[in-house]
C-alpha cells in the first residue's frame, strides 16, 4: 500500500472526484491499493488513527460519497480483467472502457453502462443500467462472486447473503470490494441508432416514447434525451433496426461498430460544469400536460427504459428493489432550483423509487425510495457485516456517523 499525502506529486491527481462540486473535499491521506492485502492494511491504518474511510472506484458518485476528509481508498491499480470458463473477473478499480476492451478480446461483454470512466465497482453495487440490460438484466444481476475486505480487515468471498446485498444496495456500505466475478455474455454485433427532431417536437416524441420503449423487444434499448434545442431517441438494437413509431425523425444508423466502439459512441464526456441532477422511476405514462410543464423548466430530461429482463427478476431476489418500473426520468441542469422544480412536477406521477446509483440527498423517505421492501433485510445484513458502521455517509444503511 502506498500512502499519498497532500505533499505528494500524485495527491491532486488522485484526490479529484469526477464530479467537480466535491473538489473541495480533501482527504487527509490517500491509500493507493494494489491488492486485497493492501486494502486490509489501509483499513488498519485508518482504524489506528481514527480516520473515516471511503472507497473510490471511478469517483462518479452524484452525492460525493466517494470523497472524504479521512482516508480515501484508491483502487485504480486494481483494474485487471481476465476470463475463465465464460466468467469475467474484474478488479474493482477498473473503469467501464477498460472492462469492455478487456472482455471484447475474448468475444465477451457484460451488460453495463456507457460512461467510459465510470467505475465497475460503484456501477455494479448500485445496479447497473445499460444497452444490454433489457436483454440480460442489470450489471449486478450477472454478479456471481466478489472478494470483500470487511472493516476489521477480514477478507471474505461474498456468501449468498452478502452477494445478495452487493447486488444493488448501493456502494460503500458493507466493505471494500476488491474483485468482482460476472457471468459474461457474447459481445454482440449491434446497430446503433440516433433519431433526432427539433425541440418543438419534444412533447409528442416523449408521449410516443413512453408508450413504446419500455415494451419494445428485449433486443432494443431506446433512451430519450431532451437537450438544448433538440430531442433525440438513441440506443442500440441487437436485431434488425426498426425505428418503430419514429419514422419521421432524422435517422442516423451505424451497424459497423464493434461493441466497445458502439458504447463509446453513445457515451457523454465527463462534464466540467457543476450540474445538478434528480431522478425517479416512473410506472405509468406521464399525462401530456405534465410533459408540457416539464419542458417549460429548461432542464435537460433523460428517459431510460426499464422493462424487459430488468423486470423479470423478483423484487426480493437481489437487493435492487426496482423491478416494476417502466422508466427512469432524470432532470439535469446547472440551475439547482430549475432541477428541483422539474423533479416536483414529475414527482406526483412517479413511483417514489430512486435508483441507488443516482443518489439524491433531498429525496423524502430514502429507505423506501432506494430499497423498497428490501430495506429491513439490508439493515440486518449491515449489522452483520459492518457492525461498527465504518462505511457510512448520509442515507447509508445503519445511519450516518
Ligand atoms: C458520466 C456518467 C455516466 C453514467 N452512466 C451510467 C450508466 O450508463 N448506467 C448506470 O447505471 N449508471 C450510470 N452512471 C451512474 C453511475 O452508475 C454511478 O455514478 C456510480 O456510483 C459510479 O460508480 P463509480 O465507481 O464511478 O463511483 P464512485 O464515486 O467511486 O463510487 C460510488 C459509490 O460506490 C462506492 N464504492 C466504489 N468502489 C467501491 C468498492 N470497491 N467497494 C465498495 N464500495 C465502493 C463509493 O464509496 C461510493 O459510495 C453514470 C454516471 C456518470 C457521472
Amino acid at each position: 500500500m502506498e500512502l499519498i499525502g497532500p505533499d505528494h506529486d500524485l495527491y491532486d491527481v488522485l484526490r479529484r472526484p469526477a464530479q467537480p462540486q466535491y473538489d473541495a473535499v480533501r482527504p487527509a491521506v490517500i491509500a493507493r491499493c494494489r491488492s486485497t492485502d493492501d486494502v486490509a492494511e489501509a483499513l488498519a491504518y485508518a482504524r489506528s488513527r481514527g480516520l473515516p474511510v471511503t472507497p473510490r472506484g471511478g469517483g462518479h458518485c452524484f452525492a460525493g460519497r466517494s470523497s472524504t476528509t479521512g482516508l480515501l481508498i484508491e483502487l485504480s491499480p486494481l483494474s485487471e480483467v481476465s476470463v475463465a470458463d465464460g466468467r469475467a473477473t474484474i478488479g474493482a478499480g477498473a473503469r467501464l472502457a477498460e472492462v469492455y476492451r478487456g472482455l471484447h478480446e475474448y468475444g465477451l461483454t457484460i451488460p453495463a453502462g456507457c460512461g467510459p470512466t465510470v467505475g465497475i465497482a460503484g456501477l455494479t453495487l448500485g445496479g447497473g443500467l445499460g444497452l444490454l440490460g433489457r436483454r440480460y438484466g442489470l450489471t449486478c444481476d450477472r454478479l456471481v462472486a466478489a472478494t470483500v475486505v470487511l472493516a476489521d480487515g477480514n477478507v471474505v468471498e461474498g456468501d449468498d447473503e452478502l452477494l445478495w446485498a452487493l447486488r444493488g444496495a448501493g456502494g460503500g456500505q458493507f466493505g471494500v470490494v476488491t474483485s468482482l466475478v460476472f457471468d459474461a455474455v457474447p459481445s454482440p454485433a449491434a446497430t446503433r441508432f440516433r433519431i433526432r427532431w427539433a425541440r418543438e417536437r419534444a412533447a409528442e416524441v416523449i408521449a410516443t416514447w413512453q408508450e413504446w420503449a419500455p415494451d419494445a423487444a428485449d433486443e432494443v434499448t431506446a433512451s430519450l434525451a431532451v437537450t438544448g434545442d433538440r430531442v433525440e431517441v438513441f440506443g442500440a438494437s441487437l436485431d434488425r433496426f426498426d425505428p418503430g413509431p419514429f419514422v419521421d425523425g432524422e435517422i442516423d444508423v451505424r451497424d459497423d461498430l464493434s461493441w466497445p466502439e458502439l458504447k463509446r459512441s453513445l457515451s457523454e464526456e465527463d462534464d466540467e460544469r457543476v450540474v445538478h441532477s434528480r431522478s425517479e422511476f416512473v410506472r405509468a405514462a406521464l399525462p401530456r400536460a405534465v410533459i408540457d410543464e416539464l419542458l417549460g423548466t429548461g432542464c435537460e430530461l433523460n428517459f431510460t427504459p426499464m422493462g424487459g429482463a430488468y423486470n423479470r427478476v423478483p423484487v426480493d431476489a437481489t437487493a435492487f428493489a426496482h423491478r416494476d418500473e417502466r422508466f427512469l426520468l432524470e432532470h439535469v441542469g446547472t440551475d439547482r432550483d430549475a432541477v428541483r422544480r422539474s423533479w416536483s412536477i414529475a414527482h406526483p406521477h412517479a413511483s417514489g423509487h430512486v435508483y441507488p446509483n443516482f443518489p439524491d440527498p433531498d429525496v423524502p423517505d430514502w429507505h423506501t425510495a432506494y430499497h423498497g421492501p428490501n430495506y429491513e433485510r439490508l439493515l440486518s445484513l449491515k449489522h452483520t457485516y459492518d457492525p461498527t458502521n465504518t462505511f457510512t455517509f448520509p442515507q447509508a444503511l445503519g445511519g450516518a456517523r
Side-chain angles (χ1 to χ4, degrees), residues 19 54-62 65-66 75 92 113-115 118-119 121-123 125 128-129 171-172 175-177 270 355 357-358 393:
Q19 305 295 335
T54 300
R56 175 177 292 169
H60 278 285
C61 180
F62 294 160
R65 294 174 178 172
S66 61
L75 296 160
C114 277
V118 168
L123 179 101
L125 299 174
L129 307 174
V176 181
V177 176
D270 285 341
Y355 180 27
N357 270 343
F358 287 9
F393 44 78

Side-chain angles (χ1 to χ4, degrees), residues 17-19 39 53-67 72-73 75 78 91-96 100 112-131 138-139 147-149 166 170-180 263 266-271 275 304 310 320 328 330 355-359 391-393:
Q19 305 295 335
V39 172
V53 59
T54 300
R56 175 177 292 169
H60 278 285
C61 180
F62 294 160
R65 294 174 178 172
S66 61
S67 294
L72 180 69
I73 298 198
L75 296 160
L78 266 173
R95 312 291 186 107
L96 293 185
Y100 296 132
C114 277
T117 59
V118 168
I120 187 66
L123 179 101
T124 305
L125 299 174
L129 307 174
L131 292 174
L138 299 162
T139 315
T147 305
V148 186
V149 188
L166 296 179
Q173 314 226 45
F174 297 98
V176 181
V177 176
T178 56
S179 128
L180 304 132
K263 298 283 286 188
L266 285 178
S267 64
E268 300 154 32
E269 294 305 319
D270 285 341
D271 208 325
V275 283
T304 303
Y310 293 130
F320 188 87
L328 178 66
E330 188 190 9
Y355 180 27
N357 270 343
F358 287 9
F391 301 105
T392 193
F393 44 78

Side-chain angles (χ1 to χ4, degrees), residues 73-394:
I73 298 198
E74 203 280 314
L75 296 160
S76 61
L78 266 173
S79 61
E80 203 184 328
V81 175
S82 64
V83 171
D85 300 328
R87 291 199 157 172
T89 302
I90 301 176
R95 312 291 186 107
L96 293 185
E98 297 169 274
V99 171
Y100 296 132
R101 261 199 317 270
L103 293 180
H104 192 67
E105 288 177 24
Y106 298 89
L108 296 172
T109 193
I110 53 172
C114 277
T117 59
V118 168
I120 187 66
L123 179 101
T124 305
L125 299 174
L129 307 174
L131 292 174
L132 293 179
R134 304 188 68 259
R135 171 74 178 77
Y136 295 112
L138 299 162
T139 315
C140 71
D141 292 335
R142 311 295 299 186
L143 182 71
V144 291
T147 305
V148 186
V149 188
L150 301 179
D152 60 6
N154 258 318
V155 178
V156 295
E157 301 300 324
D159 59 14
D160 286 353
E161 277 299 277
L162 183 54
L163 261 184
W164 180 86
L166 296 179
R167 292 189 183 116
Q173 314 226 45
F174 297 98
V176 181
V177 176
T178 56
S179 128
L180 304 132
V181 183
F182 297 94
D183 238 341
V185 303
S187 193
T191 303
R192 189 212 69 189
F193 56 87
R194 289 179 184 279
I195 313 174
R196 289 182 176 153
W197 301 261
R199 191 186 170 101
E200 294 70 55
R201 300 285 304 280
E204 80 188 86
V205 174
I206 293 170
T208 304
W209 179 92
Q210 63 178 352
E211 301 288 355
W212 172 79
D215 297 322
D218 289 2
E219 284 69 24
V220 180
T221 294
S223 296
L224 185 155
V226 182
T227 50
D229 58 1
R230 71 165 189 243
V231 54
E232 180 175 42
V233 171
F234 61 96
S237 170
L238 305 179
D239 215 339
R240 194 178 53 83
F241 171 70
D242 174 353
F246 301 118
V247 284
D248 65 341
E250 179 193 325
I251 299 180
D252 170 32
V253 174
R254 293 280 302 264
D255 59 6
D256 58 338
L257 301 171
S258 70
W259 186 245
E261 286 167 344
L262 188 154
K263 298 283 286 188
R264 179 93 216 189
S265 79
L266 285 178
S267 64
E268 300 154 32
E269 294 305 319
D270 285 341
D271 208 325
E272 295 292 313
R273 302 171 304 164
V274 172
V275 283
H276 305 281
S277 147
R278 297 193 73 184
S279 63
E280 245 176 326
F281 285 111
V282 180
R283 279 183 203 162
L286 300 173
R288 182 63 183 254
V290 172
I291 296 173
D292 288 338
E293 217 182 328
L294 285 172
L295 290 169
T297 66
C299 288
E300 296 178 15
L301 300 171
N302 296 316
F303 294 75
T304 303
M306 299 298 287
Y310 293 130
N311 289 15
R312 287 195 288 271
V313 177
V315 71
D316 61 353
T318 67
F320 188 87
H322 319 286
R323 303 293 189 172
D324 212 9
E325 310 290 348
R326 279 184 72 75
F327 57 90
L328 178 66
L329 171 56
E330 188 190 9
H331 317 256
V332 182
T334 50
D335 176 347
R336 185 196 291 266
D337 290 337
V339 169
R340 286 189 168 147
R341 208 160 49 247
S342 188
W343 183 90
S344 303
I345 293 166
H347 176 61
H349 306 274
S351 70
H353 277 215
V354 173
Y355 180 27
N357 270 343
F358 287 9
D360 176 353
D362 296 329
V363 73
D365 185 15
W366 63 265
H367 310 86
T368 307
Y370 295 133
H371 308 301
N374 293 333
Y375 174 69
E376 293 299 333
R377 181 169 169 193
L378 281 168
L379 187 60
S380 151
L381 291 172
K382 172 73 175 176
H383 295 321
T384 304
Y385 290 102
D386 182 21
T388 53
N389 208 22
T390 296
F391 301 105
T392 193
F393 44 78

